[in-house]
Amino acid sequence: MQRLLTIQDISCVGQCSLTVALPVISACGIETAVLPSSVLSNHTAFKSWSFNDLTGGMDEILEQWKAQNIDFSAFYTGYVSAEQIPVIKKIIAQCARKDALVIVDPVMADNGKLYAGFGEDFPAKMAELCNGADVILPNITEACLLLGEKYPGSSYDKPFIENMCKNLLKLGAKAVCLTGVSFNDKELGCCIYDGEKFEYYFAQKIDVSMHGTGDVFASCFAGCLCRGKNMRQAAQIAADFVVDSILKTVDDPSHWYGVNFEKALPGLIKALEK
């Protein structure tokens, strides 16, 4: 059986990061191992939170894995710090099975701005993690930061998106799935580029902003790839899963902090069996 290792933070409450990745990838039928990069009491959209960095324990965990010959057929990284990137690259190098899949979601920014806590030099560090990945999953803000380009807001066209994808592969990744792409007010989706062809998938655009949908998409995308889906199929299943999760949440005003992805899991499992 395939075993995926996901490396990202745990927000104990809030339906994002590892609390999304573990159930979603498991629902895809993939054994899911975790390496927490940090632990937050709840995610940062709440009024306050506690934060504990777990960098110090990563090398010790790696040594235990090596001693017991624990390895992984896939790696999926999310929210990590600059200090953790060299350790993560070492873990991938030393614990990968033959032809292991490496998926990097360069979580660091959205809506034209870096997340709080990241310095201006962080995108260059994240670019180092992208180098050697099989697939990277940036949104448009993250792609601009990785490339040192100005954020265009909503003023972009297809040539801009495709040129950006070409330049992202120059960072050393084999393929890119650029998320948050929209050319009209009714559809939202992604552009996929593997160095040879461009493919797009667009789902219904719902005029709401909900925390954690990027993690839902990336986790589902990773699980689908491990199930043998190609990138276009994985993007379609993941995007439709996000839309279903939003629709199952939008009428619940008490659930402002995330999406009810759990209610959408049966539909995800059915989609994977097609």
Side-chain angles (χ1 to χ4, degrees):
M1 183 173 177
Q2 291 197 61
R3 178 191 293 142
L4 177 147
L5 172 66
T6 182
I7 307 172
Q8 52 187 303
D9 69 291
I10 296 176
S11 289
C12 299
V13 174
Q15 292 178 301
C16 65
S17 56
L18 277 180
T19 58
V20 167
L22 180 56
V24 170
I25 298 170
S26 296
C28 291
I30 304 300
E31 179 185 347
T32 311
V34 301
L35 179 57
S37 59
S38 55
V39 177
L40 289 81
S41 56
N42 41 270
H43 64 62
T44 57
F46 285 79
K47 293 180 180 179
S48 62
W49 58 88
S50 65
F51 177 88
N52 289 282
D53 182 87
L54 300 181
T55 307
M58 285 186 166
D59 277 311
E60 182 179 352
I61 290 171
L62 173 59
E63 290 308 309
Q64 287 295 322
W65 286 345
K66 288 167 58 182
Q68 299 174 75
N69 297 314
I70 294 173
D71 57 11
F72 305 95
S73 54
F75 301 86
Y76 155 45
T77 68
Y79 184 98
V80 299
S81 70
E83 295 75 20
Q84 292 166 347
I85 288 173
V87 185
I88 292 168
K89 291 184 75 71
K90 184 165 57 174
I91 290 169
I92 293 172
Q94 297 183 14
C95 294
R97 295 177 185 172
K98 184 180 179 181
D99 300 322
L101 181 67
V102 179
I103 303 160
V104 173
D105 183 4
V107 178
M108 59 179 170
D110 203 359
N111 298 316
K113 296 181 180 180
L114 273 170
Y115 292 147
F118 287 136
E120 294 299 319
D121 61 340
F122 185 73
K125 297 293 185 182
M126 182 57 76
E128 295 176 10
L129 186 58
C130 292
N131 185 9
D134 290 287
V135 189
I136 59 174
L137 297 165
N139 60 38
I140 293 176
T141 299
E142 291 158 346
C144 288
L145 289 167
L146 288 169
L147 297 174
E149 297 183 4
K150 183 179 179 180
Y151 176 64
S154 58
S155 301
Y156 57 80
D157 54 16
K158 186 174 287 189
F160 175 88
I161 292 296
E162 295 185 356
N163 186 63
M164 177 172 281
C165 288
K166 289 178 181 178
N167 288 333
L168 285 167
L169 291 200
K170 294 177 183 178
L171 298 176
K174 296 177 183 176
V176 57
C177 177
L178 182 64
T179 64
V181 176
S182 179
F183 299 119
N184 59 60
D185 60 1
K186 295 183 179 180
E187 296 177 317
L188 180 67
C190 57
C191 177
I192 301 159
Y193 181 57
D194 62 0
E196 295 183 0
K197 67 180 183 298
F198 292 97
E199 295 182 282
Y200 290 87
Y201 181 72
F202 295 100
Q204 177 186 359
K205 188 175 185 178
I206 305 171
D207 192 22
V208 295
S209 177
M210 291 188 172
H211 195 90
T213 52
D215 295 331
V216 172
F217 179 91
S219 299
C220 184
F221 184 89
C224 289
L225 288 186
C226 289
R227 280 289 299 269
K229 304 296 184 182
N230 61 39
M231 287 194 296
R232 174 59 169 71
Q233 293 169 330
Q236 177 174 344
I237 293 171
D240 290 347
F241 177 55
V242 170
V243 169
D244 193 20
S245 298
I246 293 172
L247 291 175
K248 285 178 166 54
T249 312
V250 71
D251 292 328
D252 182 1
S254 68
H255 206 91
W256 59 269
Y257 50 84
V259 289
N260 284 320
F261 70 89
E262 297 93 343
K263 293 182 178 180
L265 287 173
L268 168 60
I269 294 168
K270 288 180 181 179
L272 280 163
E273 297 303 326
K274 290 182 180 179

